[in-house]
Amino acid sequence: MTGTNTFRIALFPGDGIGAEITEPTRALLDAVAARTGGFSLDWSPCEAGAGCYLAHGSALPRTAIDTARASDAILLAAMGLPDVRYADGREMTPQIDLRFEFGLYAGVRPVKPVPGVRAVLADPRAHDIDYVVVRESIEGLFAPAAPGTRDGDREARETMVITRPVCEKLFDFAFRLAEERGGLRKVTSVDKANVFQAFAFWRDIFYERAGRFEGIAADHAYVDAFAMTMVQKPWEIDVAVTENMFGDILSDLGAALMGGMGYAPSADIGDDHAVFQPCHGSAPDIAGKGLANPTAMILSGAMMLDWLGARHDSVEAVRAASALRRAVEAAFADGRLVTCELGGTAGTEAVFAAVEAALARVDA
Ligand code: ATP
């Protein structure tokens, strides 16, 4: 933080639809800060992504990392393009590299449909869906310390890494989150402990840490069964904590249950830094057409304000986060704002305009 209440934000528009949703989100966040008072945002635009690689030969330049490190929070839109790849065929994923760089072990993926957005599940209890998937985000099957190997056209291998220090921090984070949420007060370990050593180890540590959190229930589910629970009775989930690759897959399922990728916000949180970004990628199929739904980006901005508020004791930032969320809910409440991804006509501009108008009406 600079001065009394100015939060420094590193802003990464990235690729594809990223740039289209970044500037209006920044304007909305500035507007809600001005409305609430008591804090302001000082933005540092940063270049990274596939376009940056083509222009400068690096997908995540050192200058961008340094700016991010010196900031109070990082807001990122979307990175990577399927046609821009390294020589070994992998896409560039600087958003994942930032997690390793800053030790952002806890990927927070709320699954909470916006009221008024057409429910994907027919069951009336679908209105009560409100849970969080906590995705371990720096090891598991993505662990950089154990990169995959390929032996010509004979075989290829990947290694899953589960370590005690990261597990302990991750599980404590998940249990604390269940305490703060004050909902069903339950954390579920989502794993595959019946087949893999690494997950048996994971689950042992999970129950060790569970013992430290009185009043919060702990249970477990195999990832395949849990995928069914997410569709058949998601209202029974509170906080689910899972491995990196499983979390990658389950968060897209969660996004689908909210109406699509354009509705799902996220945060990647470490001890000293945090990145906030929508769950979706750069969506090159709709880039440049004005069709991108910016709701996930706006809600990620609200998560950022919440985190900054809690970390820096700023009640105003927490109030601003709440106002922004209520503005999003008000914009969709009557069911008439139907985004393109759900077959409607509301594109990027229409959603921003509706949220901006609603923001002027909500208490801040
Ligand atoms: P990545 O691997 O980079 O996370 P992905 O494979 O999950 O990306 P996305 O870019 O998220 O792919 O897009 C998946 C689908 O969802 C695409 O059809 C895309 O058009 C759609 N989509 C993604 N984001 C949005 C959005 N904000 N608004 C509307 N549709 C979106």
Side-chain angles (χ1 to χ4, degrees), residues 121 126 128-131 228-238 257:
L121 299 178
D128 302 329
I129 297 174
D130 179 1
Y131 63 94
M228 277 184 65
T229 301
M230 281 180 67
V231 175
Q232 290 186 325
K233 39 184 182 174
W235 36 87
E236 293 184 3
I237 309 168
D238 183 9
L257 293 171

PDB file of all heavy atoms in Angstrom, residues 121 126 128-131 228-238 257:
ATOM      1  N   LEU A 121     -29.356 -26.306 -13.637  1.00  0.00           N
ATOM      2  CA  LEU A 121     -30.025 -27.483 -13.081  1.00  0.00           C
ATOM      3  C   LEU A 121     -31.500 -27.157 -12.857  1.00  0.00           C
ATOM      4  O   LEU A 121     -31.841 -26.059 -12.415  1.00  0.00           O
ATOM      5  CB  LEU A 121     -29.374 -27.876 -11.747  1.00  0.00           C
ATOM      6  CG  LEU A 121     -27.889 -28.265 -11.809  1.00  0.00           C
ATOM      7  CD1 LEU A 121     -27.368 -28.587 -10.408  1.00  0.00           C
ATOM      8  CD2 LEU A 121     -27.678 -29.462 -12.737  1.00  0.00           C
ATOM      9  N   ALA A 126     -31.297 -25.708  -6.798  1.00  0.00           N
ATOM     10  CA  ALA A 126     -30.131 -25.161  -7.511  1.00  0.00           C
ATOM     11  C   ALA A 126     -29.904 -23.694  -7.145  1.00  0.00           C
ATOM     12  O   ALA A 126     -28.799 -23.177  -7.259  1.00  0.00           O
ATOM     13  CB  ALA A 126     -30.310 -25.316  -9.013  1.00  0.00           C
ATOM     14  N   ASP A 128     -29.841 -22.585  -4.287  1.00  0.00           N
ATOM     15  CA  ASP A 128     -29.080 -22.532  -3.027  1.00  0.00           C
ATOM     16  C   ASP A 128     -27.619 -22.945  -3.205  1.00  0.00           C
ATOM     17  O   ASP A 128     -26.898 -23.049  -2.217  1.00  0.00           O
ATOM     18  CB  ASP A 128     -29.712 -23.467  -1.984  1.00  0.00           C
ATOM     19  CG  ASP A 128     -31.157 -23.107  -1.717  1.00  0.00           C
ATOM     20  OD1 ASP A 128     -31.478 -21.904  -1.823  1.00  0.00           O
ATOM     21  OD2 ASP A 128     -31.962 -24.022  -1.441  1.00  0.00           O
ATOM     22  N   ILE A 129     -27.197 -23.185  -4.428  1.00  0.00           N
ATOM     23  CA  ILE A 129     -25.801 -23.607  -4.621  1.00  0.00           C
ATOM     24  C   ILE A 129     -24.878 -22.477  -4.181  1.00  0.00           C
ATOM     25  O   ILE A 129     -24.991 -21.335  -4.651  1.00  0.00           O
ATOM     26  CB  ILE A 129     -25.522 -23.945  -6.105  1.00  0.00           C
ATOM     27  CG1 ILE A 129     -26.379 -25.133  -6.562  1.00  0.00           C
ATOM     28  CG2 ILE A 129     -24.041 -24.259  -6.308  1.00  0.00           C
ATOM     29  CD1 ILE A 129     -26.253 -25.428  -8.051  1.00  0.00           C
ATOM     30  N   ASP A 130     -23.993 -22.786  -3.266  1.00  0.00           N
ATOM     31  CA  ASP A 130     -23.054 -21.779  -2.761  1.00  0.00           C
ATOM     32  C   ASP A 130     -21.901 -22.515  -2.087  1.00  0.00           C
ATOM     33  O   ASP A 130     -21.965 -22.821  -0.902  1.00  0.00           O
ATOM     34  CB  ASP A 130     -23.774 -20.858  -1.751  1.00  0.00           C
ATOM     35  CG  ASP A 130     -22.840 -19.802  -1.176  1.00  0.00           C
ATOM     36  OD1 ASP A 130     -21.656 -19.766  -1.553  1.00  0.00           O
ATOM     37  OD2 ASP A 130     -23.309 -19.019  -0.325  1.00  0.00           O
ATOM     38  N   TYR A 131     -20.904 -22.857  -2.863  1.00  0.00           N
ATOM     39  CA  TYR A 131     -19.756 -23.548  -2.279  1.00  0.00           C
ATOM     40  C   TYR A 131     -18.468 -23.066  -2.932  1.00  0.00           C
ATOM     41  O   TYR A 131     -18.500 -22.265  -3.875  1.00  0.00           O
ATOM     42  CB  TYR A 131     -19.904 -25.074  -2.387  1.00  0.00           C
ATOM     43  CG  TYR A 131     -19.955 -25.660  -3.784  1.00  0.00           C
ATOM     44  CD1 TYR A 131     -18.807 -26.119  -4.412  1.00  0.00           C
ATOM     45  CD2 TYR A 131     -21.160 -25.771  -4.461  1.00  0.00           C
ATOM     46  CE1 TYR A 131     -18.860 -26.675  -5.680  1.00  0.00           C
ATOM     47  CE2 TYR A 131     -21.218 -26.331  -5.728  1.00  0.00           C
ATOM     48  CZ  TYR A 131     -20.070 -26.781  -6.331  1.00  0.00           C
ATOM     49  OH  TYR A 131     -20.114 -27.332  -7.594  1.00  0.00           O
ATOM     50  N   MET A 228     -20.109 -36.281  -9.656  1.00  0.00           N
ATOM     51  CA  MET A 228     -21.555 -36.550  -9.664  1.00  0.00           C
ATOM     52  C   MET A 228     -22.273 -35.695  -8.625  1.00  0.00           C
ATOM     53  O   MET A 228     -23.325 -35.120  -8.899  1.00  0.00           O
ATOM     54  CB  MET A 228     -21.824 -38.027  -9.365  1.00  0.00           C
ATOM     55  CG  MET A 228     -21.688 -38.893 -10.590  1.00  0.00           C
ATOM     56  SD  MET A 228     -22.128 -40.602 -10.237  1.00  0.00           S
ATOM     57  CE  MET A 228     -23.845 -40.485  -9.845  1.00  0.00           C
ATOM     58  N   THR A 229     -21.686 -35.592  -7.423  1.00  0.00           N
ATOM     59  CA  THR A 229     -22.314 -34.778  -6.375  1.00  0.00           C
ATOM     60  C   THR A 229     -22.479 -33.337  -6.843  1.00  0.00           C
ATOM     61  O   THR A 229     -23.486 -32.687  -6.555  1.00  0.00           O
ATOM     62  CB  THR A 229     -21.460 -34.816  -5.086  1.00  0.00           C
ATOM     63  OG1 THR A 229     -21.351 -36.173  -4.662  1.00  0.00           O
ATOM     64  CG2 THR A 229     -22.071 -33.986  -3.974  1.00  0.00           C
ATOM     65  N   MET A 230     -21.492 -32.827  -7.592  1.00  0.00           N
ATOM     66  CA  MET A 230     -21.566 -31.440  -8.066  1.00  0.00           C
ATOM     67  C   MET A 230     -22.789 -31.212  -8.950  1.00  0.00           C
ATOM     68  O   MET A 230     -23.281 -30.092  -9.070  1.00  0.00           O
ATOM     69  CB  MET A 230     -20.290 -31.054  -8.827  1.00  0.00           C
ATOM     70  CG  MET A 230     -19.132 -30.716  -7.890  1.00  0.00           C
ATOM     71  SD  MET A 230     -17.608 -30.246  -8.747  1.00  0.00           S
ATOM     72  CE  MET A 230     -18.044 -28.700  -9.517  1.00  0.00           C
ATOM     73  N   VAL A 231     -23.255 -32.281  -9.592  1.00  0.00           N
ATOM     74  CA  VAL A 231     -24.429 -32.153 -10.467  1.00  0.00           C
ATOM     75  C   VAL A 231     -25.705 -32.597  -9.747  1.00  0.00           C
ATOM     76  O   VAL A 231     -26.756 -31.963  -9.881  1.00  0.00           O
ATOM     77  CB  VAL A 231     -24.228 -32.983 -11.757  1.00  0.00           C
ATOM     78  CG1 VAL A 231     -25.480 -32.964 -12.619  1.00  0.00           C
ATOM     79  CG2 VAL A 231     -23.030 -32.452 -12.540  1.00  0.00           C
ATOM     80  N   GLN A 232     -25.610 -33.674  -8.929  1.00  0.00           N
ATOM     81  CA  GLN A 232     -26.834 -34.240  -8.339  1.00  0.00           C
ATOM     82  C   GLN A 232     -27.285 -33.560  -7.053  1.00  0.00           C
ATOM     83  O   GLN A 232     -28.478 -33.443  -6.801  1.00  0.00           O
ATOM     84  CB  GLN A 232     -26.626 -35.733  -8.064  1.00  0.00           C
ATOM     85  CG  GLN A 232     -26.564 -36.536  -9.357  1.00  0.00           C
ATOM     86  CD  GLN A 232     -26.505 -38.027  -9.092  1.00  0.00           C
ATOM     87  OE1 GLN A 232     -25.907 -38.460  -8.117  1.00  0.00           O
ATOM     88  NE2 GLN A 232     -27.128 -38.804  -9.960  1.00  0.00           N
ATOM     89  N   LYS A 233     -26.356 -33.148  -6.204  1.00  0.00           N
ATOM     90  CA  LYS A 233     -26.757 -32.481  -4.948  1.00  0.00           C
ATOM     91  C   LYS A 233     -25.695 -31.469  -4.494  1.00  0.00           C
ATOM     92  O   LYS A 233     -25.164 -31.569  -3.386  1.00  0.00           O
ATOM     93  CB  LYS A 233     -27.065 -33.496  -3.847  1.00  0.00           C
ATOM     94  CG  LYS A 233     -26.143 -34.687  -3.809  1.00  0.00           C
ATOM     95  CD  LYS A 233     -26.540 -35.707  -2.766  1.00  0.00           C
ATOM     96  CE  LYS A 233     -25.514 -36.819  -2.782  1.00  0.00           C
ATOM     97  NZ  LYS A 233     -25.656 -37.807  -1.765  1.00  0.00           N
ATOM     98  N   PRO A 234     -25.428 -30.497  -5.366  1.00  0.00           N
ATOM     99  CA  PRO A 234     -24.368 -29.519  -5.066  1.00  0.00           C
ATOM    100  C   PRO A 234     -24.666 -28.668  -3.842  1.00  0.00           C
ATOM    101  O   PRO A 234     -23.749 -28.080  -3.265  1.00  0.00           O
ATOM    102  CB  PRO A 234     -24.314 -28.661  -6.336  1.00  0.00           C
ATOM    103  CG  PRO A 234     -25.610 -28.871  -7.019  1.00  0.00           C
ATOM    104  CD  PRO A 234     -26.066 -30.244  -6.666  1.00  0.00           C
ATOM    105  N   TRP A 235     -25.948 -28.592  -3.440  1.00  0.00           N
ATOM    106  CA  TRP A 235     -26.311 -27.785  -2.277  1.00  0.00           C
ATOM    107  C   TRP A 235     -25.790 -28.407  -0.976  1.00  0.00           C
ATOM    108  O   TRP A 235     -25.850 -27.786   0.065  1.00  0.00           O
ATOM    109  CB  TRP A 235     -27.833 -27.606  -2.197  1.00  0.00           C
ATOM    110  CG  TRP A 235     -28.568 -28.837  -2.641  1.00  0.00           C
ATOM    111  CD1 TRP A 235     -28.903 -29.906  -1.862  1.00  0.00           C
ATOM    112  CD2 TRP A 235     -28.999 -29.144  -3.964  1.00  0.00           C
ATOM    113  NE1 TRP A 235     -29.511 -30.857  -2.622  1.00  0.00           N
ATOM    114  CE2 TRP A 235     -29.600 -30.413  -3.915  1.00  0.00           C
ATOM    115  CE3 TRP A 235     -28.938 -28.465  -5.189  1.00  0.00           C
ATOM    116  CZ2 TRP A 235     -30.130 -31.029  -5.054  1.00  0.00           C
ATOM    117  CZ3 TRP A 235     -29.470 -29.079  -6.309  1.00  0.00           C
ATOM    118  CH2 TRP A 235     -30.061 -30.349  -6.239  1.00  0.00           C
ATOM    119  N   GLU A 236     -25.242 -29.627  -1.062  1.00  0.00           N
ATOM    120  CA  GLU A 236     -24.687 -30.267   0.145  1.00  0.00           C
ATOM    121  C   GLU A 236     -23.190 -29.981   0.312  1.00  0.00           C
ATOM    122  O   GLU A 236     -22.555 -30.447   1.246  1.00  0.00           O
ATOM    123  CB  GLU A 236     -24.917 -31.785   0.097  1.00  0.00           C
ATOM    124  CG  GLU A 236     -26.391 -32.146   0.197  1.00  0.00           C
ATOM    125  CD  GLU A 236     -26.651 -33.638   0.259  1.00  0.00           C
ATOM    126  OE1 GLU A 236     -25.673 -34.418   0.279  1.00  0.00           O
ATOM    127  OE2 GLU A 236     -27.831 -34.011   0.261  1.00  0.00           O
ATOM    128  N   ILE A 237     -22.603 -29.233  -0.636  1.00  0.00           N
ATOM    129  CA  ILE A 237     -21.159 -28.959  -0.568  1.00  0.00           C
ATOM    130  C   ILE A 237     -20.935 -27.595   0.091  1.00  0.00           C
ATOM    131  O   ILE A 237     -21.695 -26.647  -0.145  1.00  0.00           O
ATOM    132  CB  ILE A 237     -20.536 -28.945  -1.988  1.00  0.00           C
ATOM    133  CG1 ILE A 237     -20.922 -30.212  -2.768  1.00  0.00           C
ATOM    134  CG2 ILE A 237     -19.019 -28.815  -1.907  1.00  0.00           C
ATOM    135  CD1 ILE A 237     -20.580 -30.137  -4.250  1.00  0.00           C
ATOM    136  N   ASP A 238     -19.883 -27.478   0.890  1.00  0.00           N
ATOM    137  CA  ASP A 238     -19.526 -26.187   1.496  1.00  0.00           C
ATOM    138  C   ASP A 238     -18.153 -25.743   0.967  1.00  0.00           C
ATOM    139  O   ASP A 238     -18.047 -24.869   0.117  1.00  0.00           O
ATOM    140  CB  ASP A 238     -19.533 -26.329   3.024  1.00  0.00           C
ATOM    141  CG  ASP A 238     -19.254 -25.006   3.725  1.00  0.00           C
ATOM    142  OD1 ASP A 238     -19.229 -23.960   3.052  1.00  0.00           O
ATOM    143  OD2 ASP A 238     -19.065 -25.021   4.952  1.00  0.00           O
ATOM    144  N   LEU A 257     -22.099 -24.981 -14.144  1.00  0.00           N
ATOM    145  CA  LEU A 257     -23.293 -24.977 -13.294  1.00  0.00           C
ATOM    146  C   LEU A 257     -23.739 -23.553 -12.955  1.00  0.00           C
ATOM    147  O   LEU A 257     -24.859 -23.325 -12.511  1.00  0.00           O
ATOM    148  CB  LEU A 257     -23.034 -25.765 -12.004  1.00  0.00           C
ATOM    149  CG  LEU A 257     -22.821 -27.272 -12.217  1.00  0.00           C
ATOM    150  CD1 LEU A 257     -22.367 -27.945 -10.934  1.00  0.00           C
ATOM    151  CD2 LEU A 257     -24.095 -27.935 -12.734  1.00  0.00           C
TER     152      LEU A 257
END
